[in-house]
Amino acid sequence: METVINTTYTPEEVGFDIPKQSEVKTTKGDSSHVETDMAESDAWINDDGTLGHSIRNKEGQIKSTVHVPHTTATTNKVAVKEKEIPVPQPYPVEVEREFTVMEQFKLAVFWNLVCAVAVSLIIMFRKPLLTIFRKIIRL
């Protein structure tokens, strides 16, 4: 059996609500103001000289794009596929002429003669070859 698993990633837009939160704190000090994409902050000085500070999250949703995977699995019961390849039929090759008996003999005896000549040369020149060989070994 053969199982093929394909995974594709599709972009989808998601969003979630910003939670509403509010906090007020009073301290002694200077005034301040802070604002971001999700919150705004106001600060003030009270009559008694203390600093009032409030922070509020803005209403709305945060949106973003995420890639969600989608996986599909396909199972094939026959994993081995047979493919028929045509084989060319042998065809007759026309030969110019057949070898003569003497040509066939020469082809059959060639390597035997080469070996016999090599052996006879080694036997004939064995003494000079051995002296050269001994000189090389002594070095």
Side-chain angles (χ1 to χ4, degrees):
M1 295 185 83
E2 179 183 31
T3 303
V4 178
I5 298 174
N6 292 328
T7 303
T8 57
Y9 293 93
T10 56
E12 292 186 15
E13 195 163 308
V14 294
F16 60 92
D17 292 331
I18 298 172
K20 291 184 180 181
Q21 294 179 343
S22 178
E23 184 176 328
V24 176
K25 187 175 183 179
T26 304
T27 60
K28 292 186 177 184
D30 296 330
S31 64
S32 67
H33 175 77
V34 176
E35 185 173 343
T36 64
D37 291 338
M38 293 196 288
E40 38 183 53
S41 171
D42 294 316
W44 63 92
I45 298 177
N46 293 326
D47 294 335
D48 61 353
T50 58
L51 176 67
H53 193 128
S54 67
I55 186 166
R56 291 177 303 282
N57 286 343
K58 296 179 182 178
E59 293 185 21
Q61 284 190 338
I62 295 177
K63 293 185 180 181
S64 179
T65 303
V66 296
H67 295 282
V68 179
H70 295 286
T71 304
T72 58
T74 307
T75 303
N76 295 334
K77 290 185 179 180
V78 178
V80 178
K81 296 180 181 178
E82 293 181 12
K83 184 177 180 181
E84 197 170 312
I85 301 172
V87 178
Q89 293 294 324
Y91 55 91
V93 177
E94 190 174 319
V95 180
E96 206 175 292
R97 65 176 178 84
E98 294 292 327
F99 286 131
T100 63
V101 175
M102 192 61 186
E103 290 172 339
Q104 291 175 5
F105 177 75
K106 288 178 185 177
L107 287 173
V109 174
F110 175 75
W111 287 110
N112 294 330
L113 288 175
V114 169
C115 290
V117 168
V119 168
S120 63
L121 286 174
I122 290 173
I123 290 172
M124 283 176 26
F125 297 107
R126 70 180 179 273
K127 288 187 181 181
L129 289 174
L130 286 174
T131 57
I132 292 171
F133 183 67
R134 287 180 188 145
K135 287 181 183 178
I136 291 173
I137 291 177
R138 289 182 190 163
L139 295 177

